[in-house]
Amino acid sequence: VFCSLKPVASSSLTVAESASSESLNRIGSLSQVSGVLGSQWGDEGKGKLVDILAQHFDIVARCQGGANAGHTIYNSEGKKFALHLVPSGILNEETLCVIGNGVVVHLPGLFKEIDGLEANGVSCKGRILVSDRAHLLFDFHQVVDGLREAELNKSFIGTTRRGIGPAYSSKMNRNGIRVSDLRHMDTFPQKLHNLLSDVTSRFPDFNYTPEMLKEEVENYKRYAERLEPFIADTVHVMNESIAQKKRILVEGGQATMLDIDFGTYPFVTSSSPSAGGICTGLGIAPRVVGDLIGVVKAYTTRVGSGPFPTEILGQGGDILRFAGQEFGTTTGRPRRCGWLDVVALKFCCEINGFSSLNLTKLDVLSDLPEIKLGVAYKHVDSTPVESFPADLQLLEQLKVEYEVLPGWQSDISSIRNYSDLPKAARQYVERIEELVGVPIHYIGVGPGRDALIYK
Ligand code: 2SA
Ligand code: GDP
Ligand code: MG
């Protein structure tokens, strides 16, 4: 029912003008080094915000994760791009994109992504730098990812099978191979042999032959040649750029609730998608990192296994899934859906010290007669749970206390001014701000670049 749709403004020019002055104020006041981080279980719409902000930054940098990330963005003509390793600043011609030391890089995947972008008219030449300290993620890491999942049987993590955990394991085992190793093709075969031997000793069924090693070495000789112009000491580049007062935007992959330390372990990814990952993954000092924007969906989604206290099972979840098109950008998997979890969000705000939030996909809730907010956790005996629990058993058992707010039941996707949102939508936004204690500065009302309200 779209009966209460308010007129947007007397003329579209007025809307565009007021939106652009609001946006320039908002974006212009962001710190020299700012970041966009996921504050749920991923897929909050980080890519869209990064793409929009990128026009006002010189560099967009990824600091963690790998091709498990899936960031969907649209260019000004509405053409859709799904990015995995390439930072979401790539559609802005002036932006330099940095893949930092904390990222695990699957070279065939990176080249495929670059080829796809180039084929769609996005020039990548001279615009992407890959850290010489970044670790390489090989095809066999992806195979191992699948083997580990199979081994876990019913308690599988639900990884993207992009080899992320195994690649970070190699890094931490200290037998990983880095981008800088590609400059020493004489010693590369031995390093790869050592790494593969490690895998065969753990997974005897892993079918690895000397011919396969030879073939992979030949592949990597070619990849090394192709990658050479992209390789840089990005730690130096980042710090020089900071000294030269260049503006840097860090793009987080995944989210704090999937963080190896703070997430719902072991149902997490193997990197640090929260604030700390920015410094370790790029080699920049904590004191230079300024504003961090937490991206939060107006409801919650999670892909893969693990606790999800506010999950809506059955038909209710299907409604959100279809309204929000909640299917994995990387794997196409249906995402689990639920209400906004304020307890988890507060936990993310604490860890990351967000200066503001971007509430995304508010438009997806438009048809609902009422909307729930998970505001507190309780033990089965109804005593309060004081903080976001580490204990997985408790997370699975606890009860969620909900606040029920009225829906607005009107299409908000063409609204660009906060004051034009229906009262119930504003109430929802302001209640979240009140509960969390962090201002919501950006509100997403559609997937497109322009579908953003600056509050
Ligand atoms: P992994 O592959 O080892 O990092 O998986 C471990 C957990 O982390 C979750 N994870 C994600 N969750 C949401 N979105 C992600 N990216 C893709 C997207 C996912 C997709 O944008 O849609 O296409 O399926 C992402 N990457 C990792 C994962 O589900 C496991 O729970
Ligand atoms: P990311 O991993 O955080 O970058 O998010 P994904 O790209 O995986 O998933 C977010 C999805 O929601 C993408 O398909 C976006 O195009 C879409 N999206 C982002 N913001 C909005 C919004 O405000 N409204 C709607 N309807 N879709 C949005
Ligand atoms: Mg995603």
Side-chain angles (χ1 to χ4, degrees):
V1 186
F2 299 134
C3 53
S4 63
L5 179 63
K6 285 192 177 183
V8 172
S10 51
S11 83
S12 59
L13 188 63
T14 322
V15 175
E17 277 175 349
S18 77
S20 77
S21 71
E22 275 297 309
S23 65
L24 287 178
N25 287 345
R26 273 273 167 261
I27 301 170
S29 65
L30 289 173
S31 326
Q32 185 199 354
V33 181
S34 298
V36 170
L37 302 178
S39 58
Q40 291 161 309
W41 277 274
D43 309 321
E44 299 89 351
K46 299 172 289 293
K48 174 186 156 183
L49 185 66
V50 169
D51 169 59
I52 293 169
L53 299 182
Q55 302 164 52
H56 307 274
F57 284 84
D58 301 293
I59 296 177
V60 173
R62 279 277 306 272
C63 59
Q64 47 69 232
N68 51 344
H71 300 154
T72 313
I73 55 177
Y74 293 83
N75 70 7
S76 41
E77 284 111 52
K79 197 173 196 174
K80 182 175 169 176
F81 293 86
L83 301 171
H84 303 284
L85 268 166
V86 174
S88 300
I90 198 74
L91 300 191
N92 292 280
E93 282 169 24
E94 306 294 319
T95 311
L96 178 69
C97 291
V98 170
I99 297 176
N101 57 278
V103 177
V104 284
V105 185
H106 181 242
L107 286 181
L110 176 64
F111 294 141
K112 194 171 158 206
E113 209 170 315
I114 291 173
D115 290 343
L117 284 161
E118 296 270 0
N120 280 288
V122 181
S123 165
C124 297
K125 202 161 172 253
R127 297 192 46 222
I128 300 175
L129 297 182
V130 180
S131 170
D132 51 3
R133 290 179 172 84
H135 278 249
L136 294 172
L137 185 154
F138 293 91
D139 286 354
F140 81 83
H141 283 124
Q142 300 185 343
V143 175
V144 171
D145 200 347
L147 292 173
R148 291 192 69 98
E149 284 285 86
E151 223 178 50
L152 286 169
N153 201 357
K154 281 188 183 146
S155 36
F156 68 95
I157 291 165
T159 73
T160 57
R161 299 190 179 222
R162 292 302 182 270
I164 304 300
Y168 279 112
S169 297
S170 300
K171 175 175 175 173
M172 294 306 172
N173 283 339
R174 291 164 294 179
N175 59 0
I177 303 182
R178 300 192 297 171
V179 165
S180 59
D181 293 317
L182 294 172
R183 286 178 166 153
H184 302 285
M185 269 300 157
D186 50 337
T187 52
F188 181 88
Q190 186 62 44
K191 284 188 180 130
L192 188 56
H193 169 76
N194 294 346
L195 194 50
L196 283 162
S197 308
D198 213 23
V199 178
T200 34
S201 65
R202 170 68 177 77
F203 295 100
D205 290 343
F206 177 62
N207 202 4
Y208 149 65
T209 59
E211 289 70 40
M212 283 166 70
L213 171 68
K214 211 167 147 212
E215 197 185 319
E216 196 65 333
V217 168
E218 288 310 310
N219 289 337
Y220 272 81
K221 277 185 188 160
R222 287 197 313 276
Y223 298 155
E225 220 169 282
R226 183 164 178 196
L227 192 70
E228 187 51 44
F230 297 87
I231 303 176
D233 178 351
T234 57
V235 175
H236 182 64
V237 171
M238 294 297 291
N239 285 289
E240 279 287 288
S241 304
I242 291 168
Q244 290 163 9
K245 304 277 176 252
K246 295 222 167 110
R247 287 172 65 74
I248 297 168
L249 184 67
V250 182
E251 171 177 29
Q254 294 81 45
T256 296
M257 298 314 295
L258 289 168
D259 187 288
I260 186 78
D261 284 281
F262 308 114
T264 44
Y265 191 89
F267 300 100
V268 293
T269 190
S270 298
S271 68
S272 304
S274 40
I278 296 177
C279 297
T280 56
L282 288 167
I284 59 176
R287 70 178 172 79
V288 303
V289 181
D291 290 309
L292 295 181
I293 306 171
V295 186
V296 51
K297 217 177 269 195
Y299 47 99
T300 307
T301 62
R302 166 161 212 172
V303 53
S305 323
F308 183 172
T310 61
E311 182 167 16
I312 311 169
L313 299 166
Q315 265 194 338
D318 294 344
I319 293 173
L320 280 179
R321 184 171 313 110
F322 287 101
Q325 280 303 295
E326 296 297 353
F327 298 92
T329 307
T330 304
T331 62
R333 294 180 291 173
R335 296 173 181 149
R336 298 156 66 191
C337 296
W339 301 113
L340 182 63
D341 185 336
V342 175
V343 183
L345 180 57
K346 274 172 148 170
F347 180 59
C348 291
C349 289
E350 252 171 41
I351 290 167
N352 297 296
F354 293 134
S355 37
S356 65
L357 295 174
N358 170 201
L359 186 71
T360 64
K361 304 189 98 162
L362 189 64
D363 54 304
V364 173
L365 301 182
S366 289
D367 284 340
L368 302 180
E370 55 184 35
I371 300 164
K372 287 186 182 179
L373 276 175
V375 293
Y377 290 169
K378 294 204 161 162
H379 292 277
V380 274
D381 65 0
S382 290
T383 54
V385 175
E386 289 301 336
S387 59
F388 192 88
D391 185 336
L392 228 62
Q393 243 175 311
L394 172 55
L395 268 169
E396 297 282 9
Q397 287 166 0
L398 56 74
K399 292 191 290 189
V400 180
E401 191 181 301
Y402 288 98
E403 259 181 40
V404 183
L405 281 84
W408 45 94
Q409 297 196 287
S410 64
D411 183 2
I412 59 169
S413 60
S414 52
I415 294 178
R416 297 293 176 267
N417 290 313
Y418 183 69
S419 55
D420 292 332
L421 280 175
K423 187 164 167 245
R426 280 183 279 125
Q427 259 174 358
Y428 185 65
V429 171
E430 286 161 30
R431 185 64 186 136
I432 297 167
E433 282 181 318
E434 194 175 31
L435 287 165
V436 176
V438 180
I440 294 172
H441 281 173
Y442 315 84
I443 300 165
V445 289
R449 249 186 195 173
D450 65 319
L452 195 68
I453 295 173
Y454 294 86
K455 179 170 171 290

